[in-house]
Amino acid sequence: MRTRAEALLSRFYGYHSFRPGQFDVIEAVASGRDAVVIMPTGGGKSICYQIPALMASEGCALVVSPLIALMQDQTQGLIANGIPAAALHSNQNEGDNRSIMEAAAAGKIKLLYVSPERLLADIDWFSRIKVSLFAIDEAHCISQWGHDFRPVYTELSKVKETFPGVPVMALTATADRLTRSDIIAQLHLTDPYCLLSSFDRPNISLSVYANPGARQRNQFIVRLAQKYPQDSGIVYCLSRKGAEEATAALSALGLRAVCYHAGMSPNARDASLRTFLAGRAQVVCATVAFGMGIDKSNIRWVVHVNMPGNIESYYQEIGRAGRDGLPAEAVLFYSLQDVILRRNFAEESGQPLVNKEKLRRMQEYAEARVCRRRILLSYFSEERLCDCGNCDNCRRPPQRFDGSVLAQKALSGVMRTGMKAGIRMLIGILRGVSRFDIRNAGYDRLPTFGCGSDLSEEEWLDYITQMVQLGAMEIAYEDANHLRPTPMGLRVLRGEEKLVLSLYTGTAEMRKTKKAKGREVSSDPVQQLFEQLKAVRADVARMQNVPPYIVFTDAALLDMAKRKPTTLTDFLAVSGVGEVKGVRYGKRFISEIRKFTGLSATERGATYRETLVLFNAGCSVAEIAQTKNIRESTVYAHFANLIDNGLITAFHRIISADDYRAISAELDNGAPGVFEKLNGRYPSGLVDVVNAIKRAVARKKGES
Ligand code: ADP
Ligand code: ZN
């Protein structure tokens, strides 16, 4: 079974091996067992159900998916790989939907994506066709414990009832324990094979910046975008308004930015999505409404302008970056303001206790001074014994200093106002800002007024944030978010206890990204070719009217740039180049590489070899003609040539024995005009093939 699965992986996807765990799930499902697949975003879940769907000798795999954009993206990707797939959804006219259903019933579609609503509405109809397996994508939507509960998902328990013998797989990127067991219970899975793969995404670097201002934030994002000029990023904002403002601000700074949130009209939203997926926007400023199932492999960075309410959401959102496995960046901007806001949300949610606890864990992550990846992985119950080396805390461990005096200044400010100051007010007092609200309250006459004027507003914000984190001060959420000292804070104030703080580096670190700005053309040849191949890809994508990553992922282009294949055979060895794509796009890319390496642009005999590759992959004459965009008679001419060169021997796949005998006999007869007569009766070019076969047979006889 393994060989067969690997052959399909190589033929359709161009990958050489399975990732850890993938084959085990495939094997389980292909032998009829239910399965639960929990893998981080980008881990390679799709292949876990797509390969079993291809292995099934008959029937169609039904993939339940919550979002139309996601279905379209997946089907487009499959079709580009030469796999018959389609989607049923409400954005398509009913006529199209009907003909797709007929095609599925006739066994012409291997993978059919459906919305849960559609599946449930037509479940009787589906029960009458041959279904090879069910894949329930984004399965966490079934659970109230999950962060994205969708009531319609709970009705999917009907699947197991209606299709008792058909294996059901549940797939999700959300791993918490409660959600997991909920999925199994609600879908009535029987003894499912469970794949819980590592959640580590080591290629995503993690950093957090506390309290940047809006200007700083925007400039930071611009620098990030400039660092990856060919790729794109996502800016997540808490509110629709925030997303709109960010779009406007970043556009004003010269970025090609689009906006995406649930308050926009479906048309406007769709336009944003298309622009982004097609690579015509560098950044999408969005609320969390954006992104589920976005399989755009060249998202290089994700910035959270506001802190999410829980680690699951955060991890899923940053997981959209770097799905190709190449280096990517996740940046979180954090402020106590966000914590206050999120707390209010949690308080007003249906489950305040659960949500406040989840928020606390998220806050701990944001405030951490230790390896951030360890925190994330431990949240998903994954053990990790060493630091990752790819987060801000690992890269530059914070410098500590005795911050007792600073803390005393702040704490005494808090005491002097009678615990009636919020963070901004306290900073104003410490820095001696003559502001109306401060003067009005008489705080400009306090002895602490101006005692901290040597520090900037950002520095104070950082140190006060740390004091709250360390438990020297707390925010009185119930009292207008005023600050107040804790018992530990009082001890610090009295000089009975020391408070060690981390040296503020915020803006200096943020500015560092600047160095990447204006990178000149790389002198590394691999990088250079990589950029050139990206340009070819952009052109091919434009001509085919598909997003660039549907043509080839960045990872595939990089492998191409490293291997520099100059023949079709070598081209097919590139990771991510399956047979259909190899033949469809090979010529363009190979000729670019040949030029780059100083060879003439075309490989001799390439077109024959392309035909041979497709023939060996089992394609029919019509399929070969379509893939290569040539006439069928030309395909036959290629066959004749390949037969003459001894490269095709499976003649029966080209012509039936009866036809061969009939044509052969008439040719031997040699009546005048026989050639024209036969050519009128049989597909043009087939007679040449018969002649070639006759020559091959004669050679064979001669040999023996
Ligand atoms: P998920 O659905 O888990 O978020 P995908 O199925 O979209 O992830 O896979 C993420 C990326 O990894 C895709 O570009 C996919 O083609 C690639 N991929 C999956 N399996 C393999 C493999 N065995 N070898 C190489 N690349 C793979
Ligand atoms: Zn780390």
Side-chain angles (χ1 to χ4, degrees):
M1 187 183 291
R2 182 159 202 131
T3 337
R4 220 176 127 229
E6 277 173 351
L8 292 167
L9 183 71
S10 151
R11 172 176 167 199
F12 288 110
Y13 302 86
Y15 297 137
H16 306 314
S17 57
F18 286 109
R19 290 185 178 158
Q22 280 179 331
F23 178 71
D24 304 298
V25 182
I26 291 167
E27 189 175 34
V29 173
S31 53
R33 199 167 157 194
D34 292 342
V36 178
V37 177
I38 301 166
M39 267 191 188
T41 322
K45 284 185 288 298
S46 321
I47 282 189
C48 296
Y49 64 80
Q50 289 171 359
I51 297 272
L54 292 171
M55 288 171 84
S57 51
E58 51 169 356
C60 169
L62 294 183
V63 186
V64 179
S65 167
L67 279 182
I68 294 177
L70 187 153
M71 297 186 207
Q72 288 172 329
D73 215 57
Q74 289 274 359
T75 43
Q76 205 174 24
L78 286 165
I79 291 168
N81 279 333
I83 298 169
L88 289 179
H89 53 71
S90 53
N91 266 16
Q92 213 159 249
N93 72 47
E94 264 321 287
D96 287 349
N97 280 340
R98 279 289 144 198
S99 47
I100 288 172
M101 285 168 82
E102 274 158 30
K108 291 194 187 125
I109 291 176
K110 278 283 168 196
L111 285 129
L112 180 60
Y113 288 77
V114 285
S115 63
E117 290 83 1
R118 182 82 197 202
L119 172 67
L120 292 162
D122 285 332
I123 199 156
D124 287 337
W125 185 86
F126 282 112
S127 72
R128 289 193 295 271
I129 71 168
K130 174 83 186 134
V131 177
S132 57
L133 67 96
F134 276 92
I136 316 274
D137 208 1
E138 312 287 352
H140 59 275
C141 292
I142 206 170
S143 172
Q144 306 224 29
W145 299 109
H147 52 92
D148 198 13
F149 175 55
R150 291 173 190 232
V152 56
Y153 258 67
T154 55
E155 291 176 51
L156 291 174
S157 57
K158 285 207 191 106
V159 167
K160 213 58 217 179
E161 260 166 53
T162 320
F163 301 83
V166 179
V168 175
M169 324 175 60
L171 304 105
T172 174
T174 300
D176 78 80
R177 205 172 29 81
L178 282 173
T179 312
R180 262 178 246 167
S181 43
D182 222 18
I183 291 172
I184 298 176
Q186 293 215 44
L187 288 175
H188 302 309
L189 301 186
T190 36
D191 178 33
Y193 177 87
C194 291
L195 170 66
L196 175 60
S197 82
S198 167
F199 267 64
D200 198 4
R201 298 281 309 277
N203 61 317
I204 303 180
S205 84
L206 306 167
S207 359
V208 178
Y209 296 103
N211 305 307
R215 231 181 77 112
Q216 252 177 350
R217 270 192 331 237
N218 291 331
Q219 282 169 352
F220 179 89
I221 294 169
V222 169
R223 285 197 298 271
L224 201 52
Q226 285 168 344
K227 191 168 154 189
Y228 303 102
Q230 301 264 12
D231 300 317
S232 50
I234 308 176
V235 173
Y236 276 112
C237 308
L238 180 61
S239 65
R240 297 170 180 184
K241 188 158 153 270
E244 279 162 13
E245 284 170 0
T247 313
L250 295 174
S251 303
L253 288 170
L255 289 190
R256 280 171 285 124
V258 291
C259 187
Y260 188 102
H261 60 66
M264 292 161 62
S265 75
N267 281 342
R269 219 164 47 204
D270 209 47
S272 284
L273 184 63
R274 272 177 218 287
T275 310
F276 183 70
L277 291 181
R280 289 193 301 271
Q282 291 161 285
V283 45
V284 56
C285 302
T287 59
V288 292
F290 179 80
M292 193 201 269
I294 294 293
D295 176 19
K296 183 167 160 43
S297 65
N298 67 333
I299 295 175
R300 286 268 74 80
W301 49 273
V302 171
V303 169
H304 280 79
V305 167
N306 306 98
M307 186 183 74
N310 57 64
I311 288 185
E312 290 98 312
S313 309
Y314 182 63
Y315 206 58
Q316 193 161 43
E317 283 151 23
I318 65 173
R320 292 180 184 126
R323 291 175 68 129
D324 49 13
L326 302 176
E329 299 185 39
V331 175
L332 169 66
F333 294 132
Y334 161 82
S335 76
L336 288 177
Q337 231 54 51
D338 287 344
V339 177
I340 291 169
L341 210 65
R342 286 286 180 192
R343 256 192 79 94
N344 292 341
F345 287 178
E347 205 70 73
E348 286 156 18
S349 71
Q351 296 170 294
L353 288 181
V354 177
N355 289 331
K356 274 197 295 198
E357 177 58 19
K358 288 191 174 199
L359 174 61
R360 192 180 63 76
R361 302 289 300 268
M362 183 68 221
Q363 194 183 347
E364 276 171 10
Y365 169 82
E367 295 172 350
R369 310 266 156 171
V370 297
C371 175
R372 295 196 201 272
R373 203 170 310 271
R374 289 180 78 158
I375 300 179
L376 288 179
L377 293 178
S378 81
Y379 183 82
F380 295 115
S381 318
E382 209 172 298
E383 197 171 274
R384 169 148 196 149
L385 296 173
C386 52
D387 287 354
C388 77
N390 195 20
C391 73
D392 49 357
N393 289 339
C394 280
R395 278 192 304 266
R396 44 183 160 80
Q399 267 185 53
R400 320 259 174 195
F401 70 101
D402 182 352
S404 305
V405 176
L406 278 184
Q408 283 162 357
K409 287 181 184 172
L411 286 161
S412 83
V414 167
M415 301 300 285
R416 301 263 181 190
T417 63
M419 287 170 274
K420 284 278 168 267
I423 298 168
R424 293 275 156 198
M425 175 79 92
L426 177 63
I427 293 173
I429 296 170
L430 292 167
R431 299 190 66 237
V433 179
S434 175
R435 218 166 50 201
F436 174 75
D437 55 342
I438 293 179
R439 285 200 311 274
N440 201 33
Y443 294 155
D444 55 342
R445 294 192 298 277
L446 295 177
T448 35
F449 184 76
C451 74
S453 57
D454 53 330
L455 297 185
S456 69
E457 180 162 347
E458 291 78 23
E459 283 168 294
W460 270 120
L461 192 52
D462 187 59
Y463 292 134
I464 292 171
T465 304
Q466 288 189 48
M467 283 177 228
V468 174
Q469 292 166 0
L470 293 170
M473 259 195 236
E474 61 189 16
I475 299 174
Y477 295 108
E478 69 284 12
D479 180 20
N481 303 316
H482 291 154
L483 292 167
R484 64 186 178 208
T486 60
M488 189 248 262
L490 293 175
R491 291 201 300 280
V492 172
L493 187 58
R494 291 194 296 266
E496 297 162 11
E497 190 137 13
K498 257 179 37 175
L499 191 70
V500 175
L501 297 176
S502 303
L503 194 65
Y504 173 74
T505 52
T507 50
E509 275 306 320
M510 283 182 69
R511 253 182 263 117
K512 272 199 182 152
T513 345
K514 210 176 211 156
K515 295 210 182 96
K517 186 179 174 176
R519 257 190 334 181
E520 66 290 11
V521 181
S522 168
S523 58
D524 170 14
V526 169
Q527 193 64 33
Q528 240 176 52
L529 180 56
F530 182 44
E531 299 300 329
Q532 275 170 246
L533 294 175
K534 277 188 188 172
V536 173
R537 175 180 65 182
D539 194 43
V540 170
R542 239 188 330 273
M543 278 166 28
Q544 306 257 328
N545 196 22
V546 294
Y549 62 90
I550 292 284
V551 177
F552 285 125
T553 61
D554 277 11
L557 290 191
L558 188 58
D559 197 41
M560 221 177 273
K562 286 183 184 149
R563 290 171 185 257
K564 302 195 184 47
T566 54
T567 63
L568 181 63
T569 316
D570 293 346
F571 191 69
L572 288 167
V574 171
S575 172
V577 178
E579 277 150 3
V580 169
K581 278 189 186 173
V583 171
R584 194 172 285 160
Y585 306 131
K587 218 177 287 164
R588 283 291 308 272
F589 287 89
I590 292 171
S591 92
E592 187 72 21
I593 295 167
R594 289 178 70 94
K595 276 187 274 170
F596 187 84
T597 49
L599 295 169
S600 64
T602 44
E603 172 197 1
R604 273 187 44 229
T607 182
Y608 295 110
R609 226 155 298 158
E610 286 172 0
T611 301
L612 181 62
V613 165
L614 292 178
F615 179 76
N616 287 341
C619 294
S620 66
V621 172
E623 284 167 341
I624 297 174
Q626 200 205 352
T627 305
K628 295 191 54 173
N629 199 15
I630 55 179
R631 268 191 241 129
E632 294 191 7
S633 57
T634 313
V635 177
Y636 283 119
H638 289 179
F639 284 165
N641 175 292
L642 292 163
I643 293 169
D644 279 339
N645 285 298
L647 293 168
I648 288 183
T649 49
F651 310 135
H652 65 278
R653 286 200 32 226
I654 304 177
I655 185 169
S656 71
D658 287 348
D659 281 352
Y660 175 74
R661 270 194 294 272
I663 297 177
S664 181
E666 295 213 30
L667 286 172
D668 289 344
N669 223 338
V674 64
F675 201 76
E676 287 68 29
K677 213 176 79 198
L678 285 172
N679 259 342
R681 208 160 356 119
Y682 294 96
S684 164
L686 193 62
V687 180
D688 293 329
V689 171
V690 172
N691 271 321
I693 297 175
K694 285 162 75 78
R695 283 192 292 272
V697 174
R699 272 201 309 276
K700 193 98 192 192
K701 277 204 187 119
E703 279 164 23
S704 58

